[in-house]
Every structure is written in C-alpha cells, then in structure tokens.
Amino acid sequence: MRGIEAMVLLTLLGFGGCLEIEQTVTLRADGSGEQQVHMVVREQLLAELQKRQPAVRLSQGGDPRAVFDEEMVRRELAAAGLEMQKHEVTRVEAMRAVDLTATFADFRTLQKSPLAGSSAEWVLDEGPKPGLARLTFYPQGKEAWLTARAKAKQMKGQHDPLVERFFQQQKSKLAGLDVALRLRLPGKVYLWTRNLEKVSDTEVVGRVTAAQIKTPNDLIRRLAPRYQVVFDARGTALLE
C-alpha cells in the first residue's frame, strides 16, 4: 500500500491540491509500538487522480486513493505484520480525511510498514555513548537522501535561470502542503537533527510546509530528508 507516498509525490509533481499528513510513531521500551497517520486531501485532487488513472499506474507510488479503502489497507498491513486498530474516513466540505492506527510487535516489523511509503528506511543502532540509542528515518530511503544532499550542495551558490523559472511555475502547486512527523521515544531525547524540534523530554516533531520551500534547493532537500534522534535506551530491550 503506497497511497500516502503517492499522494505526496503526485501533489508535488503537478497534480495540485491541498495536502496535510501527520504521522506519529510511538516506540516502546520492548521494541513494540504504534504508527498513526492523519491525512487530509481535497476531493478535487482525488477526482483528478480518477481521470488520470493511467498516469497513476505508471507512478512509483501506485494508487494514492488506496489509503481510503479500509479492507485494502487492512490486508496490506497484515501482510507486513502490523495490526490495524483504526481506519476512519470523514468528509468535510470539499475535503476528505483518513485516520489510521496500526500496531507493530517489534522494530523489525516497523521497518516493513507500508504506512511511511515503499521507499522508507528505519534504522536503530547504538548511540555515541553507552546506554544511548540512535533512531534514523529516511522517508525516501538513505540513497535518495545522499543523492539529494549531494545535489543541493552542488547547486548551492549557483543560479540557473531555467531551473528557477520552472520552480516558480510549479511553486503554486505546493499550496496547502503540510507534512509532519512525530516521534515518541521510550527514553529522554538528547540529540536531534535540525529538521526536528524537541517538544518534550521524549518527543520530537519534524514538519515540511509549502512556506518552507522557497528555492529549488529547499525542494530537493525536503523531498528526501533524514530525521535522526539520539535517546536514552537504558532499561529497554531495543539494542539487545
């Protein structure tokens, strides 16, 4: 099930429309946890996707409307080892929303979860000091992050009129974009990357909005980010 990933990519690549996604991942001391997704999208965008179905099939993300199909989501989650706890679709005026909750038994199962997209990579390893753990999340995969970082570094300080003109033409299609990641850890957070904000001793939040994307460089970096946090893992089974 690649619906969430496809919705983000297709919106950015020209299908237009308002898109809000908030993903919350709660990791417990024994390695189990919960993954929640709240997504809001304009009905107009879904209608446009219906018209362009052949283009959707050719996209890497599959059919983004699939996330609204309860049985399809349940089957896909079960195939990955997760158990769906909630699937609720609501409509308010011209918007459609879905609220999803799934549980996973261990970190390895989270790594297979389709809710973050087919390219997502989760990595958990030892932190810089004994007793600390480092959690890293690549929404588009580590290779995509490395490529985007290299490209952004190459573009820094350069001005390409053609690239800038194309970016300005497409920028309006990002209107309403608001994608958030919330990580809840089983121990105190000590270090976090600049694209995260610490909101409590054990919780960080990262957010990508249309307002943040002011240059082609911004777009490249935010399409393939890396989120990393170091936290206290003493008393947990996470590094066993």
Side-chain angles (χ1 to χ4, degrees), residues 93-143:
E93 296 180 351
M95 310 297 288
R96 191 188 304 190
V98 61
D99 285 279
L100 275 165
T101 301
T103 54
F104 51 90
D106 50 43
F107 186 75
R108 185 172 297 180
T109 304
L110 172 64
Q111 290 176 305
K112 298 184 291 184
S113 172
L115 289 179
S118 62
S119 300
E121 293 183 39
W122 294 92
V123 180
L124 182 65
D125 55 16
E126 294 182 355
K129 294 182 179 181
L132 300 183
R134 178 170 45 224
L135 176 65
T136 308
F137 176 47
Y138 303 95
Q140 297 301 324
K142 183 177 181 178
E143 189 62 35

Side-chain angles (χ1 to χ4, degrees), residues 8-234:
V8 175
L9 292 176
L10 289 173
T11 299
L12 291 175
L13 294 175
F15 280 78
C18 176
L19 176 67
E20 298 176 21
I21 299 175
E22 179 164 350
Q23 178 181 186
T24 300
V25 175
T26 302
L27 187 61
R28 303 191 183 101
D30 64 355
S32 67
E34 184 177 82
Q35 191 172 15
Q36 299 172 292
V37 174
H38 171 71
M39 184 170 78
V40 181
V41 63
R42 285 192 181 279
E43 291 280 6
Q44 182 181 356
L45 173 57
L46 295 174
E48 187 67 18
L49 291 171
Q50 178 73 37
K51 295 177 184 177
R52 304 189 190 185
Q53 184 62 34
V56 172
R57 289 198 189 100
L58 290 174
S59 74
Q60 292 182 344
D63 187 348
R65 295 169 301 165
V67 72
F68 296 100
D69 187 319
E70 182 175 354
E71 288 308 310
M72 184 178 295
V73 172
R74 189 187 303 277
R75 289 196 301 269
E76 295 286 350
L77 288 171
L82 290 88
E83 183 175 350
M84 189 171 77
Q85 304 295 329
K86 177 182 179 181
H87 185 281
E88 183 177 305
V89 177
T90 56
R91 291 177 173 83
V92 179
E93 296 180 351
M95 310 297 288
R96 191 188 304 190
V98 61
D99 285 279
L100 275 165
T101 301
T103 54
F104 51 90
D106 50 43
F107 186 75
R108 185 172 297 180
T109 304
L110 172 64
Q111 290 176 305
K112 298 184 291 184
S113 172
L115 289 179
S118 62
S119 300
E121 293 183 39
W122 294 92
V123 180
L124 182 65
D125 55 16
E126 294 182 355
K129 294 182 179 181
L132 300 183
R134 178 170 45 224
L135 176 65
T136 308
F137 176 47
Y138 303 95
Q140 297 301 324
K142 183 177 181 178
E143 189 62 35
W145 171 69
L146 289 170
T147 300
R149 187 174 66 165
K151 182 64 176 177
K153 185 177 180 180
Q154 177 187 348
M155 293 175 59
K156 189 175 182 179
Q158 296 182 358
H159 178 70
D160 187 327
L162 291 178
V163 171
E164 182 64 31
R165 189 178 305 120
F166 178 78
F167 173 75
Q168 293 300 331
Q169 291 172 348
Q170 301 299 314
K171 189 176 178 180
S172 63
K173 296 176 181 177
L174 299 175
L177 181 69
D178 189 347
V179 180
L181 170 70
R182 187 178 299 271
L183 299 175
R184 293 173 176 162
L185 292 312
K188 185 176 180 178
V189 171
Y190 290 106
L191 300 169
W192 56 95
T193 47
R194 288 185 297 177
N195 54 0
L196 291 171
E197 176 187 1
K198 185 178 178 181
V199 295
S200 77
D201 279 351
T202 60
E203 186 173 332
V204 293
V205 177
R207 175 166 261 110
V208 175
T209 66
Q212 295 173 346
I213 304 175
K214 300 176 181 178
T215 68
N217 198 301
D218 292 337
L219 181 60
I220 289 172
R221 285 187 175 276
R222 284 170 172 79
L223 273 179
R226 178 195 65 168
Y227 299 101
Q228 191 172 85
V229 60
V230 174
F231 63 96
D232 191 343
R234 290 173 294 182

